Amino acid sequence: MVKFLDLLKINELHDLEIECVISDVLDSGWYLQGQKTGEFEEAYADFIGTKHAIGCGNGLDALTLILMAYIEMGVMAPGDEIIVPANTYIASILAISRAGLKPVLVEPDPNTLQIDENRIEEKISSKTKGIMIVHLYGQNSYTDKIGEICSKNGLKLIEDNAQAHGAVLTAGKMKGRKTGSLGDAAGHSFYPGKNLGALGDAGAVTTNDDELARTVRALGNYGSHKKYVFDMRGLNSRIDEMQAAVLKAKLPYLDGENERRREVAKMYMKGIKNPLITLPGVSLGVDNVFHIFPIFLKKRDEMQAYLKEKGIQTLIHYPIPPHLQKCYSEWNALTLPVTEKIHRQELSLPISPVISDEDVIEVINAVNSFPG
């Protein structure tokens, strides 16, 4: 059996460190907003390259808190518009709605699978206050043109960095910077299956904006800067000491684990030769971190069943696009052909820092043998 993602093996790489820090937390008697949280926030901000990292409950909360903070700061107002890629995971869009703002969908570039920089400006209106880019599949979504569009139009640039911890730009105006430090603020998820995964739900906001950081931190603590004093209507969204300690223990290994993901992706790109399959385009000028390795084919469901018979687990990211979900029924009549094709044809192959070369070759051979 080739597992899609073997979380047990991944965490076994760090089992001694994890056991040690869990024991430390248990022995401390302090389980929220303590020393471990502060240590992780400092380490993660340093890793991403921002002044601030604020831990929170999950990635959806991270994005929501950024937008709520901008409303509290008077930068945005309920009903304002945020441009967002149409082919993202639903959480990116839910965060916008949850904050009382309006998501405006933009189709992706069919080559990079990221938001199409050439379709953004036509969606900008007098109500537009920000662009949320999503580093989907662990590939960079930022371009210098997107940065220029934001600057020219006075828009906030928000990154959904849930899938791209550690991706580094190697060209362009932001050369040397990591995703999560490219815009005004970024939301991060540490769901267990992410490249940097906790042992439960956890998230963070990164930013260089002091006021935004202070506001996000208060909003995630019921809207309170001071105990029992509530200046804002906030959430209960705080990273706990256990998750913070585990994440800090795993963080020093992330670059090495991302490098293994790159090696696996190169093996897939070089080895997969089935003419029925379209391989993912790769964002150039970036050390991408390949959270997901997607392939695309018309007979996606048949391929998934075929691989399952051969003992190879796969997933679909994602079977139904956001605009066709029941929760956004007002969009159900929209026609977004690029997005719909991606969601109809995408299949994710196994990729992780612990998958062996032998298993990768087994996947390649099985994919190449699919008759269609």
Side-chain angles (χ1 to χ4, degrees):
M1 166 69 72
V2 180
K3 291 186 176 183
F4 179 77
L5 182 65
D6 194 333
L7 288 179
L8 181 61
K9 269 192 178 180
I10 289 173
N11 286 316
E12 280 179 346
L13 294 174
H14 318 295
D15 57 0
L16 292 178
E17 292 100 326
I18 289 172
E19 288 175 12
C20 182
V21 298
I22 288 175
S23 179
D24 286 347
V25 172
L26 291 173
D27 291 344
S28 74
W30 195 289
Y31 308 122
L32 273 173
Q33 296 180 301
Q35 180 179 343
K36 298 299 184 184
T37 294
E39 290 175 352
F40 171 66
E41 289 177 339
E42 183 178 350
Y44 195 65
D46 183 65
F47 175 80
I48 293 295
T50 54
K51 287 175 66 177
H52 305 281
I54 304 97
C56 61
N58 54 67
L60 171 58
D61 282 0
L63 294 171
T64 305
L65 287 165
I66 291 167
L67 298 170
M68 288 175 65
Y70 279 134
I71 291 173
E72 289 290 343
M73 293 161 60
V75 175
M76 299 176 185
D80 283 343
E81 296 173 353
I82 303 294
I83 289 171
V84 64
N87 64 316
T88 185
Y89 181 56
I90 195 77
S92 313
I93 295 168
L94 287 174
I96 298 169
S97 300
R98 195 176 171 201
L101 302 168
K102 180 183 177 182
V104 176
L105 305 180
V106 171
E107 286 260 66
D109 181 325
N111 296 312
T112 66
L113 311 174
Q114 309 296 321
I115 191 169
D116 190 336
E117 62 179 12
N118 297 312
R119 293 176 181 256
I120 291 174
E121 287 187 282
E122 66 190 43
K123 297 289 187 177
I124 294 175
S125 75
S126 60
K127 298 286 285 181
T128 306
K129 292 298 190 297
I131 300 173
M132 182 182 290
I133 58 174
V134 182
H135 304 301
L136 199 62
Y137 307 135
Q139 296 207 46
N140 167 61
S141 182
Y142 178 86
T143 67
D144 287 340
K145 182 173 181 177
I146 291 174
E148 290 163 6
I149 290 170
C150 288
S151 179
K152 181 174 71 174
N153 293 279
L155 305 178
K156 293 297 183 183
L157 180 59
I158 300 144
E159 299 171 75
D160 182 339
N161 200 44
Q163 298 186 7
H165 316 137
V168 183
L169 274 64
T170 58
K173 294 179 180 178
M174 295 290 190
K175 181 179 179 179
R177 299 265 293 272
K178 285 191 173 82
T179 57
S181 72
L182 307 174
D184 295 285
H188 307 251
S189 168
F190 305 120
Y191 180 79
K194 304 298 187 186
N195 290 31
L196 180 62
L199 300 185
D201 271 325
V205 171
T206 54
T207 184
N208 288 316
D209 185 328
D210 294 341
E211 184 182 0
L212 180 69
R214 183 173 181 270
T215 307
V216 163
R217 189 176 296 282
L219 283 168
N221 188 37
Y222 299 98
S224 174
H225 291 291
K226 181 181 179 183
K227 194 167 185 178
Y228 301 133
V229 178
F230 305 97
D231 297 326
M232 298 169 281
R233 298 180 184 181
L235 309 174
N236 175 14
S237 182
R238 300 169 296 192
I239 194 170
D240 66 69
E241 287 285 278
M242 198 78 76
Q243 304 304 339
V246 168
L247 289 166
K248 183 175 183 289
K250 294 175 71 174
L251 182 59
Y253 302 96
L254 179 57
D255 285 337
E257 292 177 2
N258 282 340
E259 185 57 37
R260 175 56 184 163
R261 288 175 176 272
R262 294 185 189 103
E263 292 170 359
V264 173
K266 287 176 184 176
M267 291 178 70
Y268 281 146
M269 296 291 283
K270 184 177 179 180
I272 294 174
K273 303 294 185 183
N274 192 320
L276 300 173
I277 291 170
T278 300
L279 292 168
V282 177
S283 302
L284 300 177
V286 187
D287 276 337
N288 298 296
V289 296
F290 295 99
H291 172 61
I292 291 165
F293 190 91
I295 60 172
F296 303 88
L297 71 162
K298 290 181 179 179
K299 294 188 176 181
R300 183 264 313 281
D301 295 340
E302 292 89 338
M303 171 67 91
Q304 186 173 44
Y306 180 79
L307 295 177
K308 183 178 180 181
E309 287 179 3
K310 292 183 173 293
I312 296 169
Q313 293 181 344
T314 59
L315 289 178
I316 296 171
H317 294 88
Y318 303 94
I320 304 172
H323 73 282
L324 297 181
Q325 298 283 355
K326 184 178 180 181
C327 64
Y328 284 106
S329 59
E330 66 271 27
W331 291 340
N332 288 174
L334 287 178
T335 300
L336 297 171
V338 180
T339 294
E340 289 163 19
K341 182 179 179 181
I342 289 171
H343 287 257
R344 191 169 58 247
Q345 297 189 0
E346 194 276 344
L347 185 67
S348 301
L349 300 182
I351 189 166
S352 78
V354 296
I355 191 171
S356 67
D357 284 358
E358 291 76 16
D359 281 351
V360 175
I361 292 167
E362 183 178 342
V363 174
I364 291 170
N365 289 338
V367 167
N368 285 340
S369 69
F370 176 64

Short mmCIF file of all heavy atoms in Angstrom, two decimals, residues 299-312 314 316 347 370:
data_model
loop_
_atom_site.label_atom_id
_atom_site.label_comp_id
_atom_site.label_asym_id
_atom_site.label_seq_id
_atom_site.Cartn_x
_atom_site.Cartn_y
_atom_site.Cartn_z
N LYS A 299 -10.41 11.31 -17.55
CA LYS A 299 -10.92 10.11 -16.87
C LYS A 299 -10.34 10.03 -15.46
O LYS A 299 -9.80 9.02 -15.03
CB LYS A 299 -10.59 8.86 -17.67
CG LYS A 299 -11.31 8.81 -19.02
CD LYS A 299 -11.11 7.47 -19.71
CE LYS A 299 -11.92 7.39 -21.00
NZ LYS A 299 -11.76 6.09 -21.68
N ARG A 300 -10.48 11.14 -14.73
CA ARG A 300 -9.93 11.24 -13.38
C ARG A 300 -10.47 10.17 -12.45
O ARG A 300 -9.71 9.51 -11.73
CB ARG A 300 -10.23 12.64 -12.84
CG ARG A 300 -9.65 12.95 -11.45
CD ARG A 300 -10.59 12.74 -10.31
NE ARG A 300 -11.91 13.29 -10.45
CZ ARG A 300 -12.24 14.57 -10.27
NH1 ARG A 300 -11.34 15.45 -9.93
NH2 ARG A 300 -13.51 14.96 -10.40
N ASP A 301 -11.77 9.99 -12.45
CA ASP A 301 -12.38 9.03 -11.52
C ASP A 301 -11.96 7.59 -11.84
O ASP A 301 -11.72 6.78 -10.94
CB ASP A 301 -13.89 9.15 -11.54
CG ASP A 301 -14.38 10.50 -11.01
OD1 ASP A 301 -13.59 11.17 -10.31
OD2 ASP A 301 -15.52 10.88 -11.30
N GLU A 302 -11.84 7.30 -13.13
CA GLU A 302 -11.38 5.97 -13.55
C GLU A 302 -9.93 5.76 -13.12
O GLU A 302 -9.56 4.67 -12.67
CB GLU A 302 -11.52 5.80 -15.06
CG GLU A 302 -12.96 5.73 -15.55
CD GLU A 302 -13.56 7.10 -15.88
OE1 GLU A 302 -13.05 8.12 -15.36
OE2 GLU A 302 -14.52 7.13 -16.66
N MET A 303 -9.10 6.80 -13.26
CA MET A 303 -7.70 6.70 -12.83
C MET A 303 -7.62 6.48 -11.32
O MET A 303 -6.84 5.65 -10.85
CB MET A 303 -6.94 7.97 -13.20
CG MET A 303 -5.53 8.07 -12.60
SD MET A 303 -4.37 6.85 -13.26
CE MET A 303 -3.69 7.79 -14.64
N GLN A 304 -8.43 7.18 -10.56
CA GLN A 304 -8.41 7.00 -9.11
C GLN A 304 -8.78 5.57 -8.74
O GLN A 304 -8.13 4.95 -7.88
CB GLN A 304 -9.34 7.99 -8.43
CG GLN A 304 -9.25 7.93 -6.91
CD GLN A 304 -10.04 9.02 -6.22
OE1 GLN A 304 -11.19 9.29 -6.58
NE2 GLN A 304 -9.44 9.65 -5.21
N ALA A 305 -9.79 5.02 -9.37
CA ALA A 305 -10.21 3.64 -9.10
C ALA A 305 -9.12 2.65 -9.51
O ALA A 305 -8.85 1.67 -8.82
CB ALA A 305 -11.51 3.33 -9.83
N TYR A 306 -8.47 2.92 -10.64
CA TYR A 306 -7.40 2.07 -11.15
C TYR A 306 -6.22 2.04 -10.17
O TYR A 306 -5.68 0.96 -9.86
CB TYR A 306 -6.95 2.61 -12.50
CG TYR A 306 -5.84 1.84 -13.19
CD1 TYR A 306 -6.10 0.66 -13.87
CD2 TYR A 306 -4.53 2.32 -13.19
CE1 TYR A 306 -5.08 -0.04 -14.52
CE2 TYR A 306 -3.51 1.65 -13.83
CZ TYR A 306 -3.79 0.47 -14.49
OH TYR A 306 -2.78 -0.21 -15.14
N LEU A 307 -5.83 3.20 -9.66
CA LEU A 307 -4.72 3.26 -8.71
C LEU A 307 -5.09 2.61 -7.39
O LEU A 307 -4.25 1.96 -6.75
CB LEU A 307 -4.29 4.71 -8.50
CG LEU A 307 -3.69 5.42 -9.72
CD1 LEU A 307 -3.36 6.87 -9.40
CD2 LEU A 307 -2.43 4.70 -10.22
N LYS A 308 -6.34 2.76 -6.99
CA LYS A 308 -6.78 2.11 -5.75
C LYS A 308 -6.64 0.59 -5.85
O LYS A 308 -6.22 -0.07 -4.90
CB LYS A 308 -8.22 2.50 -5.45
CG LYS A 308 -8.75 1.93 -4.13
CD LYS A 308 -10.19 2.39 -3.87
CE LYS A 308 -10.70 1.82 -2.56
NZ LYS A 308 -12.12 2.25 -2.29
N GLU A 309 -6.99 0.04 -7.00
CA GLU A 309 -6.85 -1.40 -7.22
C GLU A 309 -5.40 -1.85 -7.08
O GLU A 309 -5.12 -2.98 -6.69
CB GLU A 309 -7.38 -1.78 -8.60
CG GLU A 309 -8.89 -1.74 -8.72
CD GLU A 309 -9.35 -2.10 -10.13
OE1 GLU A 309 -8.49 -2.42 -10.98
OE2 GLU A 309 -10.58 -2.05 -10.37
N LYS A 310 -4.48 -0.95 -7.41
CA LYS A 310 -3.06 -1.25 -7.34
C LYS A 310 -2.46 -0.88 -5.98
O LYS A 310 -1.24 -0.91 -5.81
CB LYS A 310 -2.32 -0.54 -8.48
CG LYS A 310 -2.66 -1.10 -9.86
CD LYS A 310 -1.85 -0.43 -10.94
CE LYS A 310 -2.09 -1.13 -12.28
NZ LYS A 310 -1.54 -2.51 -12.31
N GLY A 311 -3.31 -0.51 -5.03
CA GLY A 311 -2.84 -0.22 -3.68
C GLY A 311 -2.24 1.16 -3.52
O GLY A 311 -1.40 1.37 -2.64
N ILE A 312 -2.67 2.12 -4.34
CA ILE A 312 -2.12 3.48 -4.29
C ILE A 312 -3.24 4.44 -3.92
O ILE A 312 -4.25 4.55 -4.63
CB ILE A 312 -1.50 3.88 -5.64
CG1 ILE A 312 -0.31 2.97 -5.95
CG2 ILE A 312 -1.07 5.35 -5.62
CD1 ILE A 312 0.21 3.09 -7.36
N THR A 314 -5.00 8.02 -3.42
CA THR A 314 -5.00 9.36 -4.01
C THR A 314 -6.14 10.16 -3.38
O THR A 314 -7.03 9.61 -2.75
CB THR A 314 -5.20 9.31 -5.53
OG1 THR A 314 -6.45 8.66 -5.81
CG2 THR A 314 -4.06 8.57 -6.23
N ILE A 316 -8.70 13.93 -4.19
CA ILE A 316 -9.12 14.94 -5.15
C ILE A 316 -9.17 16.29 -4.44
O ILE A 316 -9.87 16.45 -3.44
CB ILE A 316 -10.51 14.60 -5.75
CG1 ILE A 316 -10.43 13.29 -6.54
CG2 ILE A 316 -11.00 15.74 -6.64
CD1 ILE A 316 -11.78 12.76 -6.98
N LEU A 347 -6.43 15.20 -9.82
CA LEU A 347 -6.17 14.05 -8.95
C LEU A 347 -4.81 14.24 -8.30
O LEU A 347 -3.82 14.52 -8.98
CB LEU A 347 -6.17 12.75 -9.76
CG LEU A 347 -6.04 11.46 -8.94
CD1 LEU A 347 -7.27 11.23 -8.07
CD2 LEU A 347 -5.81 10.26 -9.86
N PHE A 370 -1.93 3.21 -16.96
CA PHE A 370 -3.38 3.41 -17.05
C PHE A 370 -3.77 3.49 -18.53
O PHE A 370 -3.30 4.36 -19.28
CB PHE A 370 -3.77 4.70 -16.33
CG PHE A 370 -5.23 5.04 -16.45
CD1 PHE A 370 -6.20 4.22 -15.90
CD2 PHE A 370 -5.62 6.20 -17.11
CE1 PHE A 370 -7.55 4.55 -16.01
CE2 PHE A 370 -6.96 6.54 -17.21
CZ PHE A 370 -7.92 5.71 -16.67
#
